[in-house]
Amino acid sequence: MGSLRNPVGPLPSSIYWRRRAVLLSLLGVLALLITWVVVFRGGDSGGHGNGANGKSPAPSTIAPGPSSSGPAISQAPGGRDESGGEGSGGSSSGTGTGDDGANGDPGDSGGGGSDGDGEGDGDGDGGSSVGGGSEGGTTAGVGAGDALPAGSGLPNCTASAVKFSLRSVRNSYEPDETPTFRLTARNISGSDCKVDLGPKSTVLTITQATADDDAYWASDDCPKDAGSLMFRVPAGDDITYTVKWDRKPSAPQCATPPAGSAEAGTYLVEAKAPGFTKVQTSFVLKNA
C-alpha cells in the first residue's frame, strides 16, 4: 500500500500520479459508455416488449383479398350499345308527321330537328324518296317547306363561308334497305347566308365503282319538282338535306331509263354545287 501512495521509480512521483489520473479518467469514461449502452438497449427492448404484452397494440396486417377472376370493367368504352341495327345510336330528326315520300313528292319538314349522331335511317324526317328520276330528297333539318321564298335578299353562301360534307347513313345496305345519304352545309362565317340544294343546282350522282365515269343515277336528270331550293344556313350552324335512293337508274332530259335496279357492288355518291368543292363518299349494296 505504501507503494501506491508513494510511487517508486526513476521518474518524479508527480509523473506517476498524472498517469494514474489519466488511467482513472479513461476507466470512468469507459464505465459511463458501458452504462449508457446498457440503459439504451434496455429501454429499446422494453419498448418492443410493450407491443408484445398488449400495452401497445401491434400494427394490424392487411391480407390481400381474393384476386378477381374477370375484368374490372365489363362495359365497352363510351357506354354505347354496339350491337348494331338500323337507327341505333341516333334519334331521327323531326316528328315524322310529314309525307313519307312514297309517291316521290317532296315532304314537309317533319319538325326540322337535328340528326343525333346520324345513325338513324331517317324514316321520321318527313321527306321524299328518290325514284327513277330525281325527285328532290328527304329532309333532315331542312325540307321543301323550309325553302326561302323567291327573291330572298339573304346573300348567297360562298365557298369560304360554307363547307359541304356528304355521308351514307350506312356503309352497306341489305337488299330490302333503302340507301340514304345526308348532305350537310356548315356555315363557318359570322353571318347567315343562303345555299341552293335543289336537284339541279347541287347535283348528286351515283356511279358504280367498277364502271367508267357514267353515272347510274343523277339528281338533275329528270327532277319531278322544283330544281332550285334555297335554304338559310345560320351563322356558325349547319343544315342537313337527306336523299333516299330507290336503286333505280335515271336518264338525262327525262329519257326512259334502263329497266331494273342497281346490282350488288360498291358505289360512289358525289355532290357538287357551283363554286364549291365536290364531296363524295361510298357505300355497298349487298347480295340477296
Side-chain angles (χ1 to χ4, degrees):
M1 295 296 295
S3 62
L4 291 175
R5 289 193 299 267
N6 298 307
V8 177
L11 298 175
S13 60
S14 61
I15 293 178
Y16 294 107
W17 281 114
R18 290 173 185 168
R19 290 178 178 176
R20 290 175 179 177
V22 172
L23 180 59
L24 290 174
S25 299
L26 291 176
L27 290 175
V29 171
L30 183 59
L32 290 175
L33 182 60
I34 292 172
T35 301
W36 179 81
V37 171
V38 171
V39 172
F40 176 78
R41 287 186 176 274
D44 185 56
S45 62
H48 284 290
N50 289 339
N53 61 16
K55 294 181 180 179
S56 178
S60 60
T61 302
I62 301 176
S67 60
S68 175
S69 59
I73 300 176
S74 60
Q75 187 179 9
R80 176 176 173 178
D81 181 10
E82 298 184 0
S83 59
E86 184 171 1
S88 62
S91 61
S92 176
S93 66
T95 63
T97 58
D99 183 8
D100 63 3
N103 57 6
D105 296 330
D108 298 330
S109 65
S114 62
D115 294 336
D117 66 359
E119 295 299 328
D121 62 1
D123 290 338
D125 291 336
S128 64
S129 301
V130 178
S134 54
E135 303 91 336
T138 63
T139 61
V142 294
D146 301 311
L148 296 172
S152 170
L154 200 65
N156 292 324
C157 297
T158 62
S160 61
V162 168
K163 306 298 179 182
F164 281 100
S165 63
L166 178 67
R167 67 181 182 83
S168 174
V169 171
R170 287 182 171 275
N171 291 329
S172 60
Y173 296 91
E174 299 291 343
D176 60 343
E177 294 176 334
T178 301
T180 304
F181 318 107
R182 288 180 176 165
L183 177 66
T184 299
R186 173 171 290 275
N187 188 349
I188 61 175
S189 72
S191 57
D192 294 1
C193 60
K194 67 177 184 289
V195 64
D196 191 350
L197 298 183
K200 280 196 169 184
S201 180
T202 301
V203 180
L204 269 71
T205 58
I206 296 176
T207 307
Q208 192 167 16
T210 56
D212 295 331
D213 292 336
D214 295 335
Y216 188 81
W217 174 88
S219 65
D220 62 341
D221 277 348
C222 189
K224 183 178 179 180
D225 299 295
S228 176
L229 290 172
M230 286 288 186
F231 295 102
R232 175 191 298 270
V233 188
D237 205 347
D238 55 56
I239 60 173
T240 300
Y241 190 77
T242 302
V243 173
K244 289 183 178 182
W245 177 49
D246 64 359
R247 304 182 183 227
K248 302 292 185 180
S250 66
Q253 299 179 354
C254 293
T256 302
S261 300
E263 61 185 19
T266 301
Y267 289 78
L268 300 178
V269 55
E270 299 178 346
K272 181 68 173 70
F276 294 87
T277 302
K278 177 178 65 178
V279 290
Q280 63 181 9
T281 188
S282 63
F283 64 97
V284 174
L285 297 182
K286 292 185 176 181
N287 285 311

